[in-house]
Each structure stands twice: as C-alpha cells, then as structure tokens.
Amino acid sequence: MTIRLHDTNARQIRDFVPLTAGCVSIYLCGATVQAAPHIGHIRSGLNFDIMRRWFEYRGYDVTFIRNVTDIDDKIIKKSAEQGRPWWSIGYENERAFNDGYDALGCLPPTYEPRATGHITEMIEMMRGLIERGHAYEADGNVYFDVRSFEGYLELSNQDLDDLRQPSGDNETGKRDKRDFAMWKTAKPGEPSWETPWGRGRPGWHLECSAMAHKYLGTAFDIHGGGIDLIFPHHENEIAQAKAFGDEFAKYWVHNGWVTLAGEKMSKSLGNSVLVSEMVKQWRPIVLRYYLGTPHYRSMIEYSEESLRDAESAFARVEGFVQRVVEKAGPVEAAAEVPPAFAEAMDDDLGVPQALAIVHTTVRQGNSALAADDKEAAVARLAEVRAMLGVLGLDPLDPHWAGESDRGEDLHGVVDTLVRLVLDQRQSARARKDWPAADAIRDQLNQSGLVIEDSPSGPRWTLGPR
C-alpha cells in the first residue's frame, strides 16, 4: 500500500513517504477572518478533511494544523469601515467558519492556532533571519531580502526579474521592490505589538511560517491550501522558513477553486455563496457531496443545476441505505473498503473514481434487494458504509443523525398529513381501486414527494427539487 500525492513543487504525483513512520503531519492555511465563509473557503477544509480521513483509515497517526489569520490589512480595513474592534470582526467570522466546517462534517483540527497568539514566535523568526542576513529593518518595517535566498520562486516557477510582488500601504524603505514585508510598522489607530524594531503588526506570510514551526517543528510532511496561495503566500513562507534553517514542508498539495461564471469565488468580486445561506437551502450532507466528490485539484463551476444533480445522486445512495436498514435492521460498516475503492483513493485521492465504486456497490445492493437476497444486500451496505465513512458521507453516522431533508421543525407535521393521504391510498389498494391509488401517488409526486412501497408499508421522501 502506497499513497501517492500530487506535489506542486515537484509538478508531478509522488509516492508519499512520511518523515516519521506511521505518522503524518499536515499544515493547512485556514481562514482569514475578515468576513463570513463562502463555499469556496469551506471546499479547501473539506478536501483536506478527506485527505486526513484517508490517512487515518490507512493507519496513520495524523497531526492536522489549520490556522486562523485573525489580523491582516482586510480585517483592519473592515474595522475602520464598520467602526468595530478588529478582534470583534475576527472572532465573529472565526465562529462562522467553524460553524461551516462543522455543518459539512469536517473533523476538528488537532490544533487551530490564531496568528495573534504567536507574536513571540514571529519576533524570534525575524530576529534569526536578520542575524543570518536574510532580512532587514527599515522605517519600523521588517522585510525579507528575496535575493538572499537562492531557491526563491521554485514553487511558483517564476523568474525573479519578472516578479511583481504585491505591496501594502506604508511599506517604505525597501532595498528592492520585490522584497516582502514580514512586519509592518504601526499606523495611528491600528492594532500593534511591541518589537525590537518598534510597534507594529505581522505580515501575512510570517504568521504561517512561525505557526508551522511552533506546532510541527523544523520539518513536516504536507503543506496545503488553495491554488491561489501558491504565490505569494506559500512562496514567501518557504523563503522565510528555509532561510531560518527549517526544512519545512516535504509535499505541497493545492486544491482547486469553486468558480462562478468562470471566475474564482471571492468576497471582493461580490460573487460569494455564503455557507450560512447555503445550509438553509440545501442539506449539509448534500453540500458535502457536491463539494467533496470532484477531484480536489479540479475546478468546480457553481450552479444550482449541478447541486440538484448532487442531491439526486446522493439520494440514490441514501435510499439504498434506508431500504436495507428497514429490511435487515442496523448494519455495521465493513472493516475494510473494497480494493478498487482503496486503489482509487491511494492514487492522489481519486475521489471521483472511488465514488464510482460506491455507486456500483449501491446498484449491486439494489439488485440484491429486488431478488430478496437479504444477505447480499447487507454485505453491500456494509461496504457502502465503510466507503462513505472515509468520505464523511455516511448518513447513519451520528454527525448526520436527526438531519432532516428540509424544514426539520415541520417534518412531524408533514409526516402526519402525508400519512393521512397514504392511508386513503392504502384503502383504495385494499378495495383494488388501482386508478384511485395511482392518482393519489401521482398527486403526491407532483407535490415533490416520492412514495415507495416497502415490506413495512409505504414510505415517503422529498424528491429532487
């Protein structure tokens, strides 16, 4: 068994060999909490949740760090615009992110450090870089000298002479316009911390280098994030960490975007689809299926039609699970997933190929049900539950327990009303009035309800919208 991952730095799929046998260390760039999360943000957390689950299934002890950037230019700007403390905005949105992760079934990270809790580690890293000749102070700012680090831009494969380094306000005193800020001098009214170079606040890139060093040491296995972070963020993280003396990440793994009308989903473009609103319209488990089942490196073009397709596909899986449980009672997940599923997941987390095995197994299970082969149906459900568990999509998992299709508070009322109509249908069937029974079923179908006749009596579910 060998897990293989696409390494952005190597530009190819590589065999995964952990630094410590039996252990995996992962650092994921998490939320910058200037606003509530859209589904593009949560996709990244979800993709790496599936990675983590697969490593754990394969027997690895996983340390998973997902940071929170709770101070940056955008948060400070929002604070000024709204007349609210910067920390109030950050904490409110941090909770919104965690609500989103939890709603879509992401396991909590091993540690979730905030940038502002690690100023001491950042000062230590800057001091070390200045002593080694890789950084310098100017006008209260601290800059990284990009020409001092030979491997700069290897991750993003750029030419230094053509580089256009993003710069913020008040970044004065640079020796080279391509140098980037690790520490920014304080401006009136802005949050700041005391350092040997005066009061100021950290730059975005420094935060992650310092926190990765704090929680994972000088070397760790996997650094992850969205493809938009390759430059400048991850490139600058590498420069700081390696110039400081760390080996840093052995593998770089990046997920694709969620796009809308061909553009990256972002707050600045005003095309965000907020998670808090999406979970009111769609079942969270369906959102997880929609965001988590494409390959992590692929782009997802958002549309309601594709969400409806995901809803229908998951309904087929969930319906099979429910029918077997009704017939045979609770069924435990198999100890192992089918070999073809494992092979797909080992190959750069090939979730689409693995999901095809899930649906094939569901079809086999449905055929067993149709043939009244209870033993085979139970065996297929055990396999399906094992596979869905790895993907975080098992509808029988306690996390999803009690999740209703839509309108949980109204479910009992609707059920009572539907049962009255179904009793009328049963009476029509008992007197062999098939046209009347079929008419009742058709009317229910037109209202969005799917009626199935099971050994324990008729059952209803909400159909695809």
Side-chain angles (χ1 to χ4, degrees):
M1 176 274 295
T2 300
I3 295 175
R4 305 176 73 231
L5 294 172
H6 185 272
D7 180 4
T8 304
N9 194 48
R11 294 171 184 82
Q12 63 180 352
I13 294 176
R14 298 172 54 201
D15 288 353
F16 176 77
V17 180
L19 291 167
T20 302
C23 299
V24 180
S25 46
I26 304 172
Y27 185 95
L28 174 63
C29 283
T32 299
V33 288
Q34 84 271 18
H38 56 64
I39 58 174
H41 293 126
I42 299 299
R43 182 198 180 183
S44 180
L46 205 162
N47 287 153
F48 285 89
D49 180 67
I50 292 173
M51 172 190 283
R52 175 211 189 148
R53 288 170 183 264
W54 183 244
F55 274 120
E56 289 180 343
Y57 171 83
R58 280 305 199 189
Y60 287 94
D61 181 9
V62 179
T63 301
F64 181 54
I65 311 299
R66 186 183 67 212
N67 78 293
V68 175
T69 298
D70 60 340
I71 185 70
D72 85 333
D73 293 343
K74 295 176 182 177
I75 296 172
I76 293 171
K77 182 180 179 182
K78 286 285 182 69
S79 174
E81 291 173 350
Q82 299 178 16
R84 296 172 56 196
W86 61 271
W87 45 263
S88 173
I89 293 171
Y91 183 62
E92 176 183 282
N93 292 313
E94 180 183 340
R95 292 186 64 180
F97 268 87
N98 284 330
D99 287 346
Y101 291 133
D102 184 62
L104 269 65
C106 295
L107 300 172
T110 311
Y111 305 108
E112 192 168 26
R114 295 191 186 104
T116 55
H118 297 80
I119 302 298
T120 299
E121 289 83 358
M122 297 178 204
I123 292 172
E124 291 175 355
M125 182 166 280
M126 285 189 289
R127 183 183 288 115
L129 289 168
I130 290 173
E131 291 173 353
R132 292 170 173 81
H134 292 292
Y136 58 94
E137 182 273 337
D139 300 337
N141 300 299
V142 178
Y143 297 109
F144 187 90
D145 179 358
V146 297
R147 289 191 176 275
S148 73
F149 180 65
E150 185 177 351
Y152 191 58
L153 300 180
E154 286 184 359
L155 181 69
S156 56
N157 197 29
Q158 297 184 79
D159 190 317
L160 185 59
D161 292 333
D162 298 330
L163 181 66
R164 296 182 184 275
Q165 183 79 260
S167 292
D169 296 336
N170 212 36
E171 292 188 11
T172 60
K174 283 187 180 183
R175 297 175 185 172
D176 187 313
K177 64 182 181 181
R178 290 161 294 197
D179 294 344
F180 62 86
M182 295 192 296
W183 192 261
K184 302 183 179 186
T185 189
K187 293 164 67 174
E190 290 188 352
S192 63
W193 289 261
E194 188 61 58
T195 75
W197 313 284
R199 293 193 68 83
R201 60 183 175 83
W204 177 30
H205 317 304
L206 177 65
E207 297 171 351
C208 284
S209 295
M211 287 187 283
H213 178 91
K214 166 81 172 182
Y215 291 93
L216 296 177
T218 60
F220 58 96
D221 292 305
I222 299 168
H223 196 310
I227 58 171
D228 52 317
L229 300 183
I230 294 174
F231 181 84
H233 187 48
H234 289 165
E235 195 73 76
N236 292 350
E237 278 190 66
I238 292 171
Q240 293 164 152
K242 290 195 171 184
F244 184 69
D246 290 357
E247 293 180 40
F248 211 49
K250 189 176 179 182
Y251 299 84
W252 286 86
V253 180
H254 292 93
N255 64 275
W257 294 334
V258 179
T259 60
L260 188 61
E263 294 185 275
K264 173 197 170 189
M265 194 169 286
S266 69
K267 302 182 186 78
S268 61
L269 289 175
N271 60 6
S272 300
V273 183
L274 296 181
V275 176
S276 58
E277 294 302 314
M278 294 294 287
V279 296
K280 296 175 184 177
Q281 303 172 49
W282 303 90
R283 296 174 60 197
I285 198 169
V286 169
L287 285 176
R288 183 178 178 100
Y289 186 98
Y290 170 66
L291 294 171
T293 54
H295 194 274
Y296 74 89
R297 288 193 284 122
S298 67
M299 298 294 184
I300 300 176
E301 175 67 15
Y302 170 79
S303 71
E304 286 207 5
E305 182 181 358
S306 57
L307 256 168
R308 284 193 293 271
D309 290 342
E311 183 180 50
S312 298
F314 184 72
R316 291 193 292 272
V317 175
E318 189 175 37
F320 165 69
V321 173
Q322 292 171 343
R323 284 190 290 274
V324 177
V325 171
E326 285 179 358
K327 187 178 185 69
V331 176
E332 293 297 318
E336 296 184 359
V337 299
F341 181 94
E343 183 180 353
M345 292 297 291
D346 282 340
D347 188 11
D348 194 29
L349 303 176
V351 174
Q353 294 78 13
L355 191 66
I357 306 303
V358 173
H359 283 284
T360 296
T361 309
V362 166
R363 287 193 294 271
Q364 292 169 348
N366 282 328
S367 296
L369 285 173
D372 202 25
D373 187 344
K374 178 179 173 181
E375 183 178 349
V378 167
R380 298 295 78 73
L381 176 55
E383 294 172 345
V384 166
R385 288 202 66 193
M387 294 185 282
L388 293 178
V390 166
L391 301 176
L393 287 168
D394 181 1
L396 301 180
D397 186 278
H399 177 82
W400 306 113
E403 187 201 43
S404 62
D405 287 7
R406 280 164 237 138
E408 183 174 344
D409 294 339
L410 293 175
H411 189 280
V413 175
V414 174
D415 184 65
T416 299
L417 294 173
V418 173
R419 290 292 167 193
L420 290 173
V421 179
L422 289 177
D423 286 345
Q424 296 176 15
R425 178 172 175 262
Q426 286 295 93
S427 297
R429 288 166 60 89
R431 62 178 184 268
K432 301 186 185 301
D433 188 351
W434 309 119
D438 291 344
I440 293 172
R441 183 195 60 202
D442 293 343
Q443 287 176 341
L444 290 172
N445 287 341
Q446 289 173 9
S447 69
L449 299 175
V450 176
I451 308 303
E452 296 179 83
D453 293 308
S454 70
S456 58
R459 55 190 298 272
W460 68 272
T461 56
L462 283 175
R465 59 192 77 196

